[in-house]
Amino acid sequence: SMTPSGREKGPIVDAEKAAEDESPATGPTPLVTATQITLTEERGHIFGPLDLDLEAGGVTMLLAPASVPRTALLLALSGRMHLSAGTLTIMGHTNDPRATFKDSAVCCLDEIDEIAPAVTVRSIVTEYLRWNSPFFKWVPNADDAALEALCAETFGDVPLPQLGDFVENLPVVQQLLLKIALANIGKPPLLVVGRLDDVTSDDDQSQVLRRLVELGEHQSIIVGGTNRPPADWNIKVVDLHNMSAVPAYSTSGQEANA
């Protein structure tokens, strides 16, 4: 485990010496390694060139304003957008969005999971269960047991919605957690959560983040956000306010006081 300040306060060590001293087995497992990744579209430059090094496991927050560049980066990190230039390695696959797509899930981005108005919890859960079952197996309309099986781990101590509730009428925390549970139905190694910016209340945002930290015990989670997470939650923070530069890395609870 990492000491609260050891990494930032310690003396600078010769890189080659450090590499010799540290056996490969003790280093953190890489999740994402990006070198000079860039996205340019017909409408112009979106982001980059950007370098990124993200560790596997737990929650990593990409701290940047809600914007087209941040959304595009999150889509690229989940294998759902092709880059214009650079080298992007995710879970051992280099410049291979199809492999990343297969091993990841993404949610809470309007571009991905906008749910139509007047849809009930029962109908959306049933639809997802059918999409994710073998084609020869009939899936009946979702009942309370199916809802519990799908959502209990994601919701934790947050009350589950009722099957008859309209999704658009749910409190924002339940809406977000339902989207996360649906996207995460196959429990892939990587879950990308597009944004928490729609959650205007700090308490609500903390509630969703706390649930992500729990899920991060079993998979890697990348989340886009504009607010630094609470101290002591051990969330890895990558400051990307300038999306064409070397980001600043820290862990919640370890930032220097401004």
Side-chain angles (χ1 to χ4, degrees):
S1 64
M2 199 161 61
T3 57
S5 57
R7 210 152 100 180
E8 295 184 18
K9 303 287 186 191
I12 296 170
V13 181
D14 178 76
E16 288 182 15
K17 177 82 168 66
E20 288 170 7
D21 291 348
E22 183 172 306
S23 74
T26 60
T29 305
L31 173 67
V32 173
T33 305
T35 307
Q36 297 290 286
I37 57 171
T38 304
L39 180 63
T40 306
E41 292 185 343
E42 287 178 11
R43 55 185 159 169
H45 182 77
I46 308 298
F47 70 76
L50 180 66
D51 292 350
L52 270 182
D53 286 290
L54 308 182
E55 296 172 11
V59 178
T60 300
M61 177 177 282
L62 303 186
L63 202 61
S67 59
V68 169
R70 193 185 76 182
T71 297
L73 176 60
L74 289 164
L75 289 171
L77 293 179
S78 59
R80 283 148 177 89
M81 182 165 280
H82 288 265
L83 296 167
S84 310
T87 304
L88 178 60
T89 301
I90 302 175
M91 294 181 288
H93 299 285
T94 300
N95 291 352
D96 190 351
R98 187 171 297 187
T100 305
F101 184 100
K102 204 172 68 174
D103 286 342
S104 66
V106 64
C107 60
C108 303
L109 282 174
D110 292 344
E111 293 78 1
I112 295 290
D113 62 1
E114 195 164 7
I115 294 174
V119 170
T120 63
V121 171
R122 185 194 308 274
S123 62
I124 195 76
V125 168
T126 301
E127 181 183 335
Y128 269 74
L129 290 173
R130 286 178 180 164
W131 271 109
N132 286 276
S133 70
F135 70 92
F136 52 81
K137 184 181 177 189
W138 169 246
V139 176
N141 279 331
D143 57 12
D144 286 327
L147 180 70
E148 170 89 15
L150 177 70
C151 294
E153 184 182 2
T154 302
F155 276 69
D157 55 2
V158 177
L160 296 182
Q162 300 295 308
L163 288 166
D165 290 345
F166 289 109
V167 175
E168 63 181 341
N169 292 341
L170 294 176
V172 67
V173 170
Q174 286 190 335
Q175 276 194 40
L176 279 177
L177 291 178
L178 179 61
K179 287 180 177 182
I180 290 165
L182 292 170
N184 207 27
I185 195 167
K187 299 287 189 297
L190 172 60
L191 172 65
V192 176
V193 180
R195 62 161 178 256
L196 300 180
D197 312 292
D198 294 341
V199 186
T200 51
S201 149
D202 287 348
D203 286 347
D204 287 350
Q205 202 167 105
S206 292
Q207 213 171 4
V208 176
L209 259 182
R210 196 180 295 279
R211 297 310 313 143
L212 291 178
V213 168
E214 286 285 325
L215 293 176
E217 297 288 327
H218 309 291
Q219 64 191 141
S220 300
I221 297 178
I222 299 174
V223 59
T226 49
N227 297 324
R228 222 170 249 289
D232 307 323
W233 283 25
N234 207 34
I235 292 174
K236 293 164 281 192
V237 180
V238 183
D239 194 329
L240 284 172
H241 279 83
N242 182 346
M243 291 193 60
S244 295
V246 178
Y249 298 87
S250 59
T251 300
S252 58
Q254 296 178 20
E255 292 82 16
N257 291 325

